[in-house]
Amino acid sequence: MSQVNAQSGSEQPRRRGRPPVAPADQAARKALMRAGLVHLTERGYSSVGVDEILRTSGVAKGSFYYHFGSKAAFGSALIDAYHAYFAVKLAAWFERPDLAPLDRLRGFIADAELGMAQHGFRRGCLIGNLGQEMASLPPEFSDRLIAVLEDWQHRTAACLRLAQEAGQIPAHHAPDELAAFFWIGWEGAVLRAKLERKAEPLRQFADGFLRLVTH
Amino acid sequence: MSQVNAQSGSEQPRRRGRPPVAPADQAARKALMRAGLVHLTERGYSSVGVDEILRTSGVAKGSFYYHFGSKAAFGSALIDAYHAYFAVKLAAWFERPDLAPLDRLRGFIADAELGMAQHGFRRGCLIGNLGQEMASLPPEFSDRLIAVLEDWQHRTAACLRLAQEAGQIPAHHAPDELAAFFWIGWEGAVLRAKLERKAEPLRQFADGFLRLVTH
């Protein structure tokens, strides 16, 4: 623990260059991120205040601004963390050699349903929630949100391409189009599952998609 | 103009029984509804305050509370008005005898795209916006929002049933399931069109849906 809030002498390019912080600070950052994730997946960005994040996390205001500088930067960090978390989850499912390609997608869908069920279907997708609020968001958010959805789409297209090569999806379908279609509709399914507080909309969309693309 | 704010002597069962109000009051109510629709379709319910509605509409606070009593009642009135507006629009498209059933759905979709384009894709669907914010909404909203979506779904299922009878949709599809699938995904498409500020997601979803259901 030799580097407690040590400030490097040189100008660092953005947050990535920031020097390591003490474990207590790391814990505060984690608590803020966790509280932010809960609030923003439940209620979105604009109706959640920094004070609320502080109350839930038990972290002091100074620590919030030390770590993030602003609510917008905090939101950006949450988008990045959420993106990274789901990129790992998608990769884990889509690269499973023991499953046929479409079963990998089925696995991801079942996993996502489980994730929503664990929180009583109160939490939606951070990206979908923020997408819905575009008019109230910092303008730089929209490009990030679109990029996240496109990354998920590309990963899904690769899986669907494998499914087509394996004969699970007829040749007349275009995997890229199917993947775009899936993510457009899946965000609607997450929204509806949150509204109805149940899994059925996720299943209706997923079953419909899988039935349609296999014909 | 003989009935200016005349209060009837008998207890009226809810708003429906309220006596007619003066034209000036009707104009205020309309201005409030119009401002509410703009703000709530752009930004949702929880981040829009009554004061903002008053500023945009130029209506006095007393008039707002005279007409609606509370922000929640105002939100309910907006849901009802939005529901009625789209019920008329769906009926107009889905009952057009000059179009084949699937072309009626295509017409509705093109109309919806035009509606979003007119406002620069800044406004989403009121029902989808509010659905996304469930955790911040008055609890009585969720049943109303679900009922609106189910009404739209039933109307769409009837159109798809006609399409199936006309041979436009193969017999192995179930119109009710397709209609549920359509509305789950369509709300996702509206969300995405708002995020990307363009028509493409609406078209990607609609084209995908129509291609898939006709096979």
Side-chain angles (χ1 to χ4, degrees), chain A residues 117-138:
Chain A
Q118 276 169 344
H119 304 292
F121 295 95
R122 285 187 312 278
R123 302 187 194 166
C125 170
L126 181 72
I127 309 304
N129 279 13
L130 300 190
Q132 195 70 287
E133 305 181 80
M134 269 321 294
S136 314
L137 297 185

Side-chain angles (χ1 to χ4, degrees), chain B residues 187-209:
Chain B
E187 288 291 344
V190 171
L191 187 167
R192 186 73 172 268
K194 197 174 142 187
L195 170 61
E196 301 201 11
R197 292 274 161 88
K198 61 183 184 190
E200 209 184 350
L202 298 177
R203 291 185 195 163
Q204 283 177 302
F205 184 78
D207 291 352
F209 178 80

Side-chain angles (χ1 to χ4, degrees), chain A residues 100-123:
Chain A
L102 270 192
D103 290 334
R104 301 176 194 176
L105 180 58
R106 286 191 181 93
F108 166 73
I109 288 167
D111 192 347
E113 180 186 322
L114 196 67
M116 285 195 77
Q118 276 169 344
H119 304 292
F121 295 95
R122 285 187 312 278
R123 302 187 194 166

Side-chain angles (χ1 to χ4, degrees), chain B:
Chain B
M1 312 213 191
S2 57
Q3 295 177 296
V4 181
N5 291 347
Q7 291 294 330
S8 135
S10 63
E11 272 299 300
Q12 297 292 338
R14 295 172 179 279
R15 197 161 310 281
R16 202 172 285 278
R18 187 172 269 212
V21 292
D25 276 329
Q26 288 292 13
R29 191 178 198 280
K30 266 177 105 165
L32 289 166
M33 293 288 282
R34 204 163 39 232
L37 191 72
V38 171
H39 285 298
L40 271 69
T41 52
E42 284 197 11
R43 293 170 33 214
Y45 178 85
S46 50
S47 70
V48 175
V50 169
D51 286 347
E52 208 166 346
I53 304 288
L54 300 178
R55 266 199 308 280
T56 314
S57 61
V59 172
K61 186 174 273 191
S63 180
F64 178 90
Y65 286 101
Y66 167 74
H67 284 290
F68 300 105
S70 68
K71 187 185 170 192
F74 180 59
S76 286
L78 282 173
I79 293 172
D80 288 347
Y82 196 83
H83 180 196
Y85 175 77
F86 271 94
V88 168
K89 200 185 262 295
L90 285 165
W93 280 107
F94 290 170
E95 289 159 19
R96 271 186 64 164
D98 57 323
L99 295 177
L102 270 191
D103 290 333
R104 301 176 194 177
L105 180 59
R106 286 191 181 94
F108 166 73
I109 288 167
D111 192 347
E113 180 186 321
L114 196 67
M116 285 195 77
Q118 275 170 344
H119 305 291
F121 296 94
R122 284 186 312 279
R123 302 187 192 167
C125 170
L126 179 72
I127 308 303
N129 278 14
L130 299 191
Q132 196 70 285
E133 306 180 79
M134 269 321 295
S136 313
L137 296 186
E140 69 270 21
F141 276 24
S142 69
D143 285 347
R144 300 177 87 106
L145 296 172
I146 293 167
V148 172
L149 289 165
E150 285 179 350
D151 176 57
W152 294 348
Q153 254 170 239
H154 291 148
R155 292 171 188 271
T156 307
C159 179
L160 294 173
R161 207 166 293 120
L162 290 177
Q164 197 169 48
E165 284 162 15
Q168 294 187 292
I169 293 177
H172 62 84
H173 288 304
D176 288 326
E177 284 174 19
L178 292 182
F181 180 83
F182 175 80
W183 278 101
I184 289 169
W186 181 250
E187 288 291 344
V190 171
L191 187 167
R192 186 73 172 268
K194 197 174 142 187
L195 170 61
E196 301 201 11
R197 292 274 161 88
K198 61 183 184 190
E200 209 184 350
L202 298 177
R203 291 185 195 163
Q204 283 177 302
F205 184 78
D207 291 352
F209 178 80
L210 288 162
R211 198 171 51 244
L212 293 168
V213 303
T214 50
H215 281 91

Side-chain angles (χ1 to χ4, degrees), chain A residues 38-173:
Chain A
V38 172
H39 284 298
L40 271 69
T41 53
E42 285 198 10
R43 292 170 34 213
Y45 179 85
S46 50
S47 70
V48 175
V50 169
D51 286 346
E52 208 166 347
I53 305 287
L54 300 178
R55 263 199 310 280
T56 313
S57 61
V59 172
K61 186 175 272 191
S63 181
F64 178 90
Y65 287 101
Y66 167 75
H67 284 291
F68 300 105
S70 68
K71 187 185 170 191
F74 180 59
S76 286
L78 281 174
I79 293 171
D80 288 348
Y82 197 83
H83 180 197
Y85 175 78
F86 271 94
V88 168
K89 200 184 261 297
L90 285 165
W93 279 107
F94 290 169
E95 288 158 21
R96 272 186 61 163
D98 57 324
L99 295 177
L102 270 192
D103 290 334
R104 301 176 194 176
L105 180 58
R106 286 191 181 93
F108 166 73
I109 288 167
D111 192 347
E113 180 186 322
L114 196 67
M116 285 195 77
Q118 276 169 344
H119 304 292
F121 295 95
R122 285 187 312 278
R123 302 187 194 166
C125 170
L126 181 72
I127 309 304
N129 279 13
L130 300 190
Q132 195 70 287
E133 305 181 80
M134 269 321 294
S136 314
L137 297 185
E140 69 270 22
F141 276 23
S142 69
D143 286 346
R144 300 178 88 105
L145 296 173
I146 293 167
V148 172
L149 288 166
E150 284 178 351
D151 176 56
W152 293 348
Q153 254 170 240
H154 291 148
R155 292 171 188 272
T156 307
C159 179
L160 295 173
R161 206 167 292 118
L162 291 177
Q164 197 168 51
E165 284 162 15
Q168 295 187 293
I169 293 178
H172 63 83
H173 287 305

